[in-house]
Amino acid sequence: MWILRVQTRVSETALQLRTLFRTRTVLWDEIQGLTFPKYRSARAVLTSGDQVPLPTVTFEDLPKITPLSNGRIPDIEASLQAERQEQRARSTPPQEKHSK
């Protein structure tokens, strides 16, 4: 019997990628960003331009990865919330001050 163990472990210093035949460690300093191809696992885009598959990682895992990246991967949820607040602030007319 075979058990297929693939995984991506995320730490503050690196991503550890385990596939069927090898384990690879990619330091955060080597990562330019992440991409999420449709119907496939995420990929790390390296500073060299190469892409490395991240086994079992999907877009839904992003909130868990972001804090460990030390700012290298932006917090999309926080960015969206800030953008919504900014839009609300722009669309709300300023209140007039009434003098007595």
Side-chain angles (χ1 to χ4, degrees), residues 32 45 49 55 59 69 76 82 87-89 94:
Q32 183 176 2
V45 179
F59 187 77
S69 75
I76 293 176
Q87 286 175 347
R88 274 186 244 130

Side-chain angles (χ1 to χ4, degrees), residues 50-67:
D50 294 335
Q51 291 189 9
V52 179
L54 304 178
T56 70
V57 174
T58 65
F59 187 77
E60 288 77 26
D61 297 313
L62 197 54
K64 293 180 250 176
I65 296 170
T66 297

Side-chain angles (χ1 to χ4, degrees), residues 35-80:
T35 184
F36 296 89
K38 195 172 187 177
Y39 307 118
R40 297 194 334 214
S41 291
R43 297 181 178 279
V45 179
L46 306 182
T47 54
S48 67
D50 294 335
Q51 291 189 9
V52 179
L54 304 178
T56 70
V57 174
T58 65
F59 187 77
E60 288 77 26
D61 297 313
L62 197 54
K64 293 180 250 176
I65 296 170
T66 297
L68 294 170
S69 75
N70 292 317
R72 290 180 179 91
I73 305 300
D75 184 346
I76 293 176
E77 187 63 35
S79 297
L80 286 173

Side-chain angles (χ1 to χ4, degrees), residues 10-55:
V10 182
S11 73
E12 292 181 346
T13 57
L15 302 177
Q16 186 181 47
L17 318 171
R18 175 183 268 170
T19 62
L20 184 60
F21 299 109
R22 76 185 263 207
T23 298
R24 178 177 179 178
T25 300
V26 181
L27 299 175
W28 278 113
D29 291 340
E30 300 174 65
I31 298 174
Q32 183 176 2
L34 301 180
T35 184
F36 296 89
K38 195 172 187 177
Y39 307 118
R40 297 194 334 214
S41 291
R43 297 181 178 279
V45 179
L46 306 182
T47 54
S48 67
D50 294 335
Q51 291 189 9
V52 179
L54 304 178

